[in-house]
Amino acid sequence: MLRVITIEKEYTTDEVADILGLSPSTVRKYNFYFAKNGVHFTKKQGRLVYTNDDISIFHELKKIHAAPKMTLEKAIITVSKKFNLVPDTSDNISNKKHTITQEQPEAQIKEVQSYIDAKFEERERQLISMAREIRALKKAQQQKKSFYNWLKILLDK
């Protein structure tokens, strides 16, 4: 049995801009607003690539955005709903995700802070101990010198 495999062409931002008659910065701006609404296009090797379906999405966006009093944000939302690009997520779920992502860094910061505090306390104990040892050595040296001075004075007489 013979299977035909079709490879869908992938387009760069510049190619999409040429096809749609837009500037590449406008395509990047559209991509930014789509990403803001949770719609992400494919990346390969760190670069965005667009398919024929993506081009039709951008074409529809361009058409809807051209309507009078239509803002880009509203046009993005309309196109996203029309093409079922945004999964159904309630505000509660997105708020929970946002809260979790904020709590994790806060917990990590507290953990790092407690580690740093423990290390500072350990360092402080070491410094105090070393200072006491140095003081004891200096005192011993002074006592040794005073003994030799006393002995010298005694022998000189």
Side-chain angles (χ1 to χ4, degrees):
M1 176 177 248
L2 185 64
R3 285 180 31 191
V4 177
I5 299 174
T6 58
I7 299 175
E8 191 168 5
K9 181 159 173 39
E10 294 174 341
Y11 301 93
T12 64
T13 302
D14 292 334
E15 291 171 331
V16 172
D18 287 340
I19 292 168
L20 296 173
L22 299 170
S23 70
S25 63
T26 303
V27 174
R28 285 190 287 275
K29 179 177 159 185
Y30 287 174
N31 184 37
F32 171 77
Y33 279 99
F34 271 117
K36 220 170 136 181
N37 285 307
V39 179
H40 300 282
F41 296 98
T42 308
K43 274 191 174 185
K44 284 194 178 173
Q45 298 175 350
R47 295 184 152 230
L48 282 169
V49 291
Y50 302 96
T51 62
N52 289 327
D53 293 336
D54 297 336
I55 291 175
S56 53
I57 290 168
F58 280 113
H59 182 67
E60 185 69 21
L61 174 64
K62 181 181 171 187
K63 189 172 84 175
I64 291 174
H65 184 57
K69 296 185 180 181
M70 177 59 77
T71 64
L72 181 58
E73 291 84 5
K74 288 180 185 177
I76 295 282
I77 292 169
T78 304
V79 169
S80 297
K81 287 180 182 176
K82 182 176 181 178
F83 286 93
N84 290 326
L85 300 175
V86 180
D88 288 334
T89 55
S90 66
D91 289 337
N92 293 338
I93 293 172
S94 63
N95 285 340
K96 285 179 185 177
K97 286 181 183 177
H98 187 65
T99 304
I100 289 170
T101 56
Q102 283 183 346
E103 287 175 1
Q104 289 172 345
E106 289 174 4
Q108 289 175 345
I109 289 170
K110 287 179 182 177
E111 183 179 325
V112 169
Q113 187 64 42
S114 65
Y115 174 80
I116 290 171
D117 291 343
K119 287 294 182 181
F120 276 136
E121 288 176 17
E122 182 182 338
R123 174 68 56 88
E124 189 175 341
R125 277 188 249 113
Q126 288 175 345
L127 288 173
I128 290 171
S129 173
M130 289 180 75
R132 286 180 181 157
E133 288 177 21
I134 291 171
R135 199 176 307 136
L137 286 172
K138 283 184 178 180
K139 189 175 182 181
Q141 277 184 334
Q142 284 178 340
Q143 286 177 351
K144 194 175 184 181
K145 282 182 182 178
S146 65
F147 173 75
Y148 286 122
N149 285 339
W150 176 78
L151 189 60
K152 186 178 178 183
I153 293 171
L154 185 64
L155 291 177
D156 285 340
K157 286 186 184 183

